[in-house]
Amino acid sequence: MSTPVHAPNPQLAVIPPEAAAKASLLRRVLRNPLALGSLLFLAVIIVSAVAAPLLAPHNPNTADISAVLSSPDSGHLLGTDGAGRDVLSRLLFGAQFSLAGALLALVTSIVIGVTGGLLAGYYGKWIDTASTWVISMLMALPAIIVLLAARAVVGPSLWASMLIFGVMLSPAFFRLVYASVSAVRNELYVDAARVSGLSDTRIIGIHILTVVRAPIVVQSAIVGGVALAVQSGLEFLGLGDINVPTWGQMLSDGFTNLYTAPLLIIWPALAIGLTLISLTLLANSLRDELERSNAPRRRRRKQPAEQPAVVGEEVMRHDDGGLAGEAVLRIENLSVGYETGDGGTKRVVHDVSLTVARGEVHGLVGESGSGKTQTAWSALRLLPEGGRITGGSIFFHGDDLAALNEKDMEKIRGSRIAYIPQEPMSNLDPSFTIGSQLVEPMRICLRMSKKEATTRALALLARVGIPNPERTFAAYPHQVSGGMAQRVLIAGAISCNPDLLIADEPTTALDVTVQAEVLDLLRDLQSEFRMAVILVTHNFGVVADLCDRVSVMRLGRIVETGPTRSIFAYPRHPYTRELLGAILGETSPRGPLATFDAGPSASPSRKGALR
Amino acid sequence: MNQPLLDIQNVTVEYPAKGFRAKPFRALSNVSLDVRAGECVGLVGESGSGKTTLGRAVLGLAPVTEGKVLFRGQDIAHAGRSERRELATDIQVVFQDPYTSLNPSRTVEQILAEPLTVRKVPRSESSKRIKALFEMVRLPADSGNRLPREFSGGQRQRIAIARALALKPELIVCDEPVSALDLSTQARVLELFKDIQEQTHVAYLFVSHDLEVVRHISHRVAVMYRGDIVEFGDGDQVTSAPRHPYTQRLFFAAPVADPEAQAQRREERHRLLAEQTA
Amino acid sequence: MLTFIGRRLLTGVALLAAITTFGFTLLYLGGGDIARKILGENADQQTVALKAQELGLDRPVLVQYGDWISHAVRGDLGTSWFSGQPVLDAISSRLSVTLSLVTGAIILIAVISVVLGVLAATKRGWVDRFAQLLAIVGHAIPGFLFAVGLVLVFALTLGWFDPTGYVPFLTSPTGWAKTVTLPVIALALGGIASVTQQVRGSVIDALRNDYVRTLRSRGIPARRVVLKHVLRNAAGPALAVLAVYFVGLLGGAVIVEQVFAIPGLGQVAVQATTQGDIPLVMGLLVATGILVIIFNLLVDLAQGWLNPKVRLS
């Protein structure tokens, strides 16, 4: 065999680069008006905090006994407070001290949390155990109580309390960094970097810090807000240093004079509230952007690929004697689309038609993104969020499922159309026993009593070849192997005597020897219950083993359809031929190495250039 | 000159179990295997058989508790960090999942330059080397400043192969390098592996669960079952006329893409199982 | 299961020991001349020395700590230096007040968050936008600021509730409700915001699980799948957030009590720390520590009940 002769090779066409791929996070966030507004507000606050000595008309601490609680006038633009101090000046200096205090707490927590998280996450072992202990202790302490206790020791100091609070806040960063580092540490690309000879510091610098950088920025906005809130709370309690003007103190003063001068409380409340809201909005939009840009990192297997609108070419149909029995399912010109973010629809299945007769296994075969799974889910009317049938009909015993309401569809699912998924483990609810997951549908679909359903479930488990049905019935999904779990799912699918079985890659996740057993089981059950079966697979061996008919799908369309033997013997569509040509089974083995010791003698000179 | 390039002798790998007084988990017990220079040795087995662990033990990513891993006669089973760094020019890796084996935030050029920069290869030489690598793995010459996510699965695997080849190693451990790929892509990447071996005489330790893939690429094949090698020999013999009962079961379990041949194989498989249980 | 609880309790005790050791060292090392503080600036040197001797402050810190511990494990937390009242009495008389606030807030958080979070995740649309807005507001506005707003609007302007004070439930249930409602709401807002957000997120995650499709393919109605399967799997992460928030709730109660002039632990805490009443401060640390440990134990038990993997391993 050689590489298929099709030119140009479709796999070598580079996918166009995503526009957003390299634009900086900040630039993207600025496109969001809420985030931009928050950022502008914060900038104003910071500038006025820094320039407070220049802007403030009065000394914030100079009390004018003659002008206590005076209303706004030209001398005092926002009036004076309960001690006759200028409110505007205090607001400006308050910004300076409140923000500086919050910043101190933030920096302290970042330094402790990030270093601790990096060390514990990357090196693990005793550093991990020790720091996890310290962190859980810190998290079990109510911050306010600790700050109050600290005040008993060091007296009322804004800086001391913010330093201590910074330590109390460090778990926020520790946990974030720790989680990302332990996740990244096991990524294959870090293994690859180790094998490439990179040192630990280089790996942390290149591969690990880049991953946690952006989340740290988001967390900083949140933690900064928490620090400001708690600081204001403490000062509000009257526990602050009276010589350091802060917003919290102004709030406290306003609260004392709530009845006489209700305006006094408005200014600091607005300053604190708006700053905190801005920080939260900023953090939220940063996080949203981050999630968006990280989303396509890992390909989700079932994510439908965009299908170019190829002009519909004729489906190559192999002639045969027609259907062997009555048609159970008849799909006509089915189209499936997904909503895109901008209100459009992305089509993933185009104009698909197929018929499955009673007692017949119809294979849907194709590569990833060919639309075979989407077609199968459409027949169950269980497309993922955003997906819908955009055209065509799905006739099941004469009823058009595409037009049925959800309530009627619920009556058909399980009792008349059943489904076997691909991944055995993720398709069982981990929180319930296997037995209860088998009994529940039977009680709904077959209206059985709990006892009847249990008896039947045990019989089914025995039927699908589970050695100890009682034990498996009582077990939780994580206690059984993948092969056993797949048998359980098969038992569940046939539990309500369906007419049509939709099996989506039912053996792909299994080992070869287990796959062979499960294929045997499916064949036996299919002939025993005379079900119609749609079998979605990418494996031609499975098709050859089980299917009576097969439809080859490519880019959301069926390109060729007919009896299995005929397709294997006389493939007509070039794509079918390419797929069959890529199968390794027919090729001859490579044989032993011809020249036994060509390598070692050649190697020193070959490698010399790089050393 | 008959010394093998890689000689694994009676290697046992045990992972310490979590929890107090728990028994360690034994992933490999007393495994021996050798790879000659320029040769491809296939390592086939099902999940949990220990095949991936053996590959990782060679790379220093799994703890070898007993036995030796000789590379050109030198035991590297317990190589320290600096010794491992030296070995990077000799032993390289291609992993299974092309989606997680490339750092998503680094460009292809940065990824390929990484091992070269560590070796202090001058910039001009390293960019020349990267160009040559693109040609070798048949990637477009302008792939350098793109991110991995802009490439398809098959192309990413080519990038991973290029990274492994960057330092002109003598041995590449390939851990299921084609099992995440579509059928037609798989065939092309396998051809690439073969071509590169013929050009550069690099040796492969090729780990796969698929007997047919292994048969296609390997000179010799080892079959693993429950942490042990049960059969090791000439690729043709092991993959077409297996002797060990487990290899036989494996062989007959894989369905053939031909309805008639498959029906026949199914019957043979049932007969074999009946014989083996009898 | 019993070993699971046992191990949790043991961790709790170790944690408590660590907290008290830490607190004791800091308080006693940093406290300065405590006897002088108690007696005031005008006391003469001899009286101060006598007072220090009476309180045992002249002994090495380790001895003092050992003394404190040996009494503490017997349930004797000493007496307040300023009022002479036993610490245990001072705390337990106020505990029920704070606990009724905190319990009320927890219940409010749990109920609203589950309902709102599930609706936001399944219905999306305006419910979802409302939940998002609530999350931002609740996260950004500190509880005490919100409390001030509530007092202004509902107590002072509308007169529906009492602005300050506390009436025990047994004295007058309506009076209790009138005094407790606003503080509980103020206390719960932040928790509602973050727990709703978590419930919404974990319900959305749980809905994406493969088994949801499989269960629905068996003919189980979507609503039942959400209420029985999705909710149970989403509950774990939400409970974890609630556990973390409980600690914040205790701190928040201190401030909210101050706003509403409620005679709870918060008042004791503020008073004790301004005076430097170290036995009382230590008592408070122990009390809050025990509360946190008990609540975490309850959450762990709930997690074990929800998640068979935790329970069976």
Side-chain angles (χ1 to χ4, degrees):
Chain A
M1 194 215 78
S2 65
T3 314
V5 282
H6 287 284
N9 186 336
Q11 293 296 328
L12 286 183
V14 175
I15 298 164
E18 289 164 48
K22 299 192 81 176
S24 82
L25 183 65
L26 187 70
R27 208 173 311 153
R28 273 177 291 149
V29 166
L30 287 183
R31 276 187 226 132
N32 177 345
L34 270 180
L36 184 66
S38 312
L39 218 56
L40 284 178
F41 179 79
L42 289 174
V44 169
I45 293 279
I46 290 169
V47 167
S48 52
V50 172
L54 301 173
L55 295 174
H58 297 270
N59 182 316
N61 289 327
T62 308
D64 184 355
I65 313 293
S66 61
V68 169
L69 296 178
S70 72
S71 12
D73 57 39
S74 56
H76 302 282
L77 279 177
L78 296 176
T80 60
D81 69 0
R85 294 168 295 194
D86 182 53
V87 170
L88 179 63
S89 305
R90 283 182 74 73
L91 206 55
L92 290 169
F93 275 98
Q96 195 173 56
F97 288 105
S98 302
L99 294 187
L103 197 66
L104 176 65
L106 178 62
V107 171
T108 312
S109 63
I110 288 182
V111 169
I112 298 178
V114 172
T115 359
L118 277 179
L119 291 178
Y122 191 75
Y123 291 105
K125 297 188 186 144
W126 67 268
I127 307 182
D128 188 353
T129 324
S131 41
T132 312
W133 248 93
V134 173
I135 292 298
S136 58
M137 193 178 90
L138 284 178
M139 287 180 58
L141 289 168
I144 298 270
I145 307 268
V146 171
L147 290 175
L148 287 176
R151 190 181 176 279
V153 179
V154 293
S157 160
L158 173 69
W159 311 117
S161 62
M162 283 295 105
L163 199 69
I164 294 171
F165 192 50
V167 178
M168 304 284 305
L169 279 173
S170 58
F173 288 100
F174 178 89
R175 300 209 319 166
L176 174 80
V177 172
Y178 179 79
S180 346
V181 173
S182 356
V184 170
R185 186 178 57 168
N186 296 325
E187 289 279 5
L188 288 175
Y189 63 79
V190 171
D191 278 345
R194 276 199 204 118
V195 173
S196 293
L198 268 71
S199 61
D200 281 356
T201 37
R202 223 189 155 88
I203 291 176
I204 292 182
I206 292 180
H207 293 285
I208 294 185
L209 270 183
T210 46
V211 175
V212 293
R213 205 172 44 198
I216 287 176
V217 173
V218 177
Q219 189 76 315
S220 296
I222 296 170
V223 167
V226 172
L228 183 61
V230 165
Q231 176 207 82
S232 308
L234 273 180
E235 304 267 326
F236 175 72
L237 288 179
L239 297 174
D241 182 350
I242 357 165
N243 295 318
V244 179
T246 60
W247 289 340
Q249 253 179 48
M250 298 179 68
L251 206 60
S252 173
D253 182 66
F255 192 60
T256 343
N257 298 305
L258 192 58
Y259 296 92
T260 42
L263 256 182
L264 271 187
I265 206 171
I266 299 294
W267 305 116
L270 271 182
I272 296 171
L274 287 177
T275 308
L276 291 177
I277 287 184
S278 300
L279 282 171
T280 311
L281 285 176
L282 192 65
N284 273 5
S285 45
L286 276 171
R287 194 192 50 214
D288 289 352
E289 270 312 319
L290 212 60
E291 273 168 12
R292 205 166 300 154
S293 53
N294 281 351
R297 255 196 66 199
R298 222 172 274 232
R299 183 181 60 165
R300 302 266 306 266
R301 190 187 73 87
K302 292 287 164 72
Q303 209 164 45
E306 167 98 70
Q307 305 308 355
V310 185
V311 183
E313 51 182 318
E314 193 70 18
V315 178
M316 297 202 168
R317 287 176 198 285
H318 287 236
D319 207 21
D320 63 340
L323 288 177
E326 73 175 299
V328 172
L329 184 79
R330 204 172 77 242
I331 296 178
E332 282 179 5
N333 309 323
L334 175 75
S335 296
V336 176
Y338 279 77
E339 286 164 28
T340 55
D342 49 22
T345 309
K346 183 171 92 176
R347 294 259 226 112
V348 294
V349 172
H350 303 263
D351 213 15
V352 160
S353 302
L354 62 89
T355 309
V356 192
R358 187 163 189 79
E360 181 190 60
V361 181
H362 192 119
L364 270 185
V365 66
E367 297 190 301
S368 56
S370 62
K372 51 194 195 301
T373 295
Q374 302 298 324
T375 307
W377 283 346
S378 303
L380 282 159
R381 281 268 308 274
L382 285 177
L383 286 165
E385 205 183 318
R388 64 192 175 88
I389 295 168
T390 53
S393 317
I394 302 168
F395 291 106
F396 176 69
H397 287 306
D399 297 327
D400 184 4
L401 300 183
L404 224 52
N405 67 33
E406 181 57 30
K407 222 176 169 69
D408 291 331
M409 195 63 216
E410 263 164 13
K411 283 181 201 141
I412 290 179
R413 277 190 217 117
S415 51
R416 307 190 62 197
I417 303 181
Y419 166 68
I420 302 173
Q422 169 175 4
E423 290 285 339
M425 280 326 209
S426 66
N427 276 288
L428 288 165
D429 184 342
S431 303
F432 290 85
T433 59
I434 285 171
S436 80
Q437 292 182 61
L438 287 172
V439 164
E440 191 183 2
M442 283 192 265
R443 297 198 60 189
I444 293 172
C445 296
L446 304 178
R447 303 186 183 285
M448 281 180 160
S449 72
K450 193 168 178 182
K451 206 170 151 232
E452 288 169 323
T454 304
T455 316
R456 182 169 163 79
L458 288 170
L460 282 166
L461 287 175
R463 174 64 193 88
V464 296
I466 283 173
N468 189 340
E470 281 83 9
R471 204 172 63 198
T472 305
F473 185 90
Y476 284 94
H478 72 273
Q479 296 170 313
V480 302
S481 71
M484 284 298 139
Q486 193 61 301
R487 288 171 196 270
V488 168
L489 285 162
I490 293 173
I494 59 166
S495 65
C496 301
N497 302 320
D499 301 335
L500 172 67
L501 184 64
I502 293 174
D504 180 15
E505 305 260 14
T507 59
T508 305
L510 306 175
D511 273 329
V512 193
T513 47
V514 182
Q515 163 173 289
E517 291 163 14
V518 169
L519 286 176
D520 279 349
L521 173 65
L522 283 174
R523 183 180 315 97
D524 291 351
L525 290 172
Q526 190 265 336
S527 57
E528 183 180 328
F529 293 97
R530 293 249 314 136
M531 288 179 289
V533 177
I534 289 185
L535 183 82
V536 173
T537 184
H538 69 282
N539 185 331
F540 278 99
V542 171
V543 172
D545 189 63
L546 216 55
C547 297
D548 302 304
R549 283 163 176 281
V550 58
S551 294
V552 181
M553 287 192 76
R554 183 199 187 202
L555 302 177
R557 293 174 187 281
I558 291 181
V559 295
E560 185 161 6
T561 182
T564 306
R565 274 162 204 268
S566 167
I567 297 251
F568 274 102
Y570 317 105
R572 299 215 304 256
H573 196 281
Y575 179 68
T576 315
R577 279 188 220 150
E578 183 189 327
L579 283 182
L580 288 173
I583 295 167
L584 302 170
E586 302 156 13
T587 60
S588 54
R590 194 163 171 193
L593 183 60
T595 45
F596 186 69
D597 49 8
S601 56
S603 68
S605 59
R606 188 164 54 81
K607 296 176 65 69
L610 269 169
R611 286 261 168 87
Chain B
M1 217 54 230
N2 268 350
Q3 182 194 52
L5 181 68
L6 177 74
D7 196 0
I8 300 169
Q9 296 180 349
N10 310 321
V11 159
T12 296
V13 169
E14 279 179 348
Y15 287 99
K18 286 226 163 163
F20 185 57
R21 277 193 302 193
K23 256 176 80 180
F25 171 68
R26 184 173 266 224
L28 286 183
S29 51
N30 210 13
V31 169
S32 299
L33 180 79
D34 67 292
V35 182
R36 298 162 195 158
E39 184 191 34
C40 177
V41 172
L43 198 54
V44 69
E46 295 187 299
S47 55
S49 62
K51 57 187 191 302
T52 294
T53 309
L54 187 54
R56 293 179 70 87
V58 172
L59 294 167
L61 298 172
V64 175
T65 44
E66 272 168 61
K68 286 180 184 169
V69 178
L70 299 178
F71 184 77
R72 276 188 273 154
Q74 183 194 350
D75 189 7
I76 58 164
H78 305 284
R81 280 172 194 271
S82 59
E83 213 179 323
R84 268 287 157 204
R85 242 169 274 154
E86 281 304 307
L87 278 171
T89 49
D90 296 322
I91 306 179
Q92 274 300 325
V93 66
V94 176
F95 285 113
Q96 164 174 14
D97 189 343
Y99 292 87
T100 57
S101 66
L102 304 173
N103 187 336
S105 56
R106 315 256 305 150
T107 64
V108 172
E109 174 124 27
Q110 283 172 323
I111 290 170
L112 295 184
E114 195 168 70
L116 297 168
T117 326
V118 176
R119 303 278 131 199
K120 306 216 163 46
V121 176
R123 238 218 149 99
S124 59
E125 205 176 311
S126 104
S127 69
K128 216 187 290 168
R129 177 79 187 136
I130 289 172
K131 280 221 176 68
L133 287 170
F134 281 147
E135 202 170 308
M136 200 181 255
V137 300
R138 292 169 211 149
L139 276 173
D142 61 347
S143 305
N145 44 26
R146 292 166 194 271
L147 291 172
R149 64 157 160 261
E150 295 166 34
F151 294 88
S152 68
Q155 287 173 320
R156 288 185 197 212
Q157 207 56 305
R158 287 169 198 268
I159 298 169
I161 295 171
R163 173 176 57 191
L165 289 169
L167 295 174
K168 304 189 178 173
E170 293 187 40
L171 171 71
I172 300 182
V173 175
C174 310
D175 186 3
E176 299 261 16
V178 296
S179 38
L181 306 178
D182 270 330
L183 192 58
S184 50
T185 319
Q186 172 179 314
R188 279 192 289 267
V189 172
L190 277 179
E191 279 313 306
L192 180 68
F193 269 112
K194 265 182 164 176
D195 291 353
I196 286 172
Q197 187 161 52
E198 269 145 36
Q199 277 173 42
T200 64
H201 297 286
V202 62
Y204 296 142
L205 179 61
F206 199 99
V207 176
S208 176
H209 70 280
D210 191 331
L211 205 60
E212 272 161 16
V213 166
V214 160
R215 166 190 169 89
H216 185 72
I217 186 115
S218 310
H219 300 107
R220 287 188 298 157
V221 172
V223 182
M224 291 201 73
Y225 183 55
R226 296 190 180 163
D228 210 0
I229 289 183
V230 294
E231 186 162 0
F232 182 28
D234 172 60
D236 189 16
Q237 175 262 309
V238 175
T239 57
S240 1
R243 295 191 189 121
H244 189 274
Y246 172 71
T247 320
Q248 290 170 347
R249 287 206 296 278
L250 205 61
F251 176 79
F252 285 110
V256 219
D258 177 327
E260 260 138 77
Q262 171 57 18
Q264 206 177 340
R265 179 174 285 197
R266 195 162 59 218
E267 265 172 41
E268 284 173 44
R269 175 173 159 268
H270 289 155
R271 204 178 310 134
L272 176 83
L273 288 179
E275 272 171 31
Q276 287 191 359
T277 46
Chain C
M1 195 67 197
L2 273 177
T3 53
F4 174 72
I5 298 173
R7 206 162 48 213
R8 282 295 167 179
L9 272 177
L10 214 66
T11 331
V13 170
L15 202 65
L16 203 59
I19 291 171
T20 53
T21 314
F22 188 65
F24 198 91
T25 326
L26 272 188
L27 287 173
Y28 278 77
L29 287 184
D33 194 348
I34 293 159
R36 175 161 297 282
K37 249 193 213 162
I38 299 170
L39 295 171
E41 292 299 318
N42 300 325
D44 64 80
Q45 199 58 44
Q46 207 182 348
T47 337
V48 171
L50 254 158
K51 185 75 185 176
Q53 207 175 1
E54 183 197 324
L55 296 174
L57 290 171
D58 52 346
R59 297 172 298 163
V61 176
L62 262 180
V63 176
Q64 294 185 44
Y65 180 59
D67 190 42
W68 183 85
I69 281 279
S70 69
H71 282 95
V73 292
R74 280 174 277 162
D76 173 16
L77 292 171
T79 52
S80 160
W81 285 345
F82 289 85
S83 67
Q85 194 188 11
V87 169
L88 208 59
D89 291 356
I91 290 176
S92 59
S93 64
R94 309 296 188 88
L95 191 63
S96 63
V97 180
T98 303
L99 267 187
S100 68
L101 289 187
V102 170
T103 315
I106 285 280
I107 293 171
L108 200 64
I109 291 171
V111 171
I112 294 187
S113 302
V114 168
V115 173
L116 202 58
V118 170
L119 284 178
T122 51
K123 300 265 186 272
R124 301 292 178 97
W126 67 267
V127 195
D128 196 15
R129 280 195 291 278
F130 174 71
Q132 302 281 6
L133 186 74
L134 187 79
I136 290 172
V137 172
H139 188 86
I141 309 284
F144 69 94
L145 207 58
F146 188 57
V148 171
L150 287 177
V151 170
L152 275 175
V153 176
F154 293 99
L156 297 182
T157 312
L158 296 172
W160 293 353
F161 301 98
D162 295 349
T164 55
Y166 178 79
V167 179
F169 182 78
L170 292 175
T171 314
S172 153
T174 52
W176 176 80
K178 272 190 158 184
T179 50
V180 148
T181 308
L182 289 185
V184 164
I185 293 175
L187 207 49
L189 178 76
I192 290 174
S194 48
V195 182
T196 302
Q197 211 40 6
Q198 180 62 51
V199 171
R200 173 186 178 272
S202 36
V203 166
I204 288 177
D205 283 349
L207 277 171
R208 290 195 186 126
N209 277 321
D210 287 343
Y211 59 76
V212 171
R213 184 184 312 109
T214 304
L215 286 166
R216 291 192 59 195
S217 80
R218 304 271 160 80
I220 303 175
R223 198 187 155 87
R224 191 183 158 101
V225 173
V226 169
L227 291 180
K228 183 170 174 185
H229 296 271
V230 170
L231 201 55
R232 178 152 179 178
N233 284 289
L239 263 179
V241 170
L242 194 64
V244 170
Y245 199 77
F246 179 77
V247 180
L249 221 48
L250 284 176
V254 171
I255 303 184
V256 168
E257 279 174 14
Q258 212 67 12
V259 174
F260 292 92
I262 291 173
L265 278 185
Q267 277 189 355
V268 181
V270 173
Q271 199 190 341
T273 51
T274 358
Q275 289 176 330
D277 195 342
I278 290 176
L280 202 48
V281 174
M282 284 302 292
L284 282 167
L285 275 182
V286 172
T288 46
I290 289 178
L291 282 182
V292 170
I293 288 164
I294 290 177
F295 189 77
N296 278 339
L297 185 68
L298 291 178
V299 167
D300 282 340
L301 286 178
Q303 295 279 29
W305 175 74
L306 284 169
N307 186 347
K309 263 188 217 168
V310 174
R311 196 182 339 145
L312 298 172
S313 68

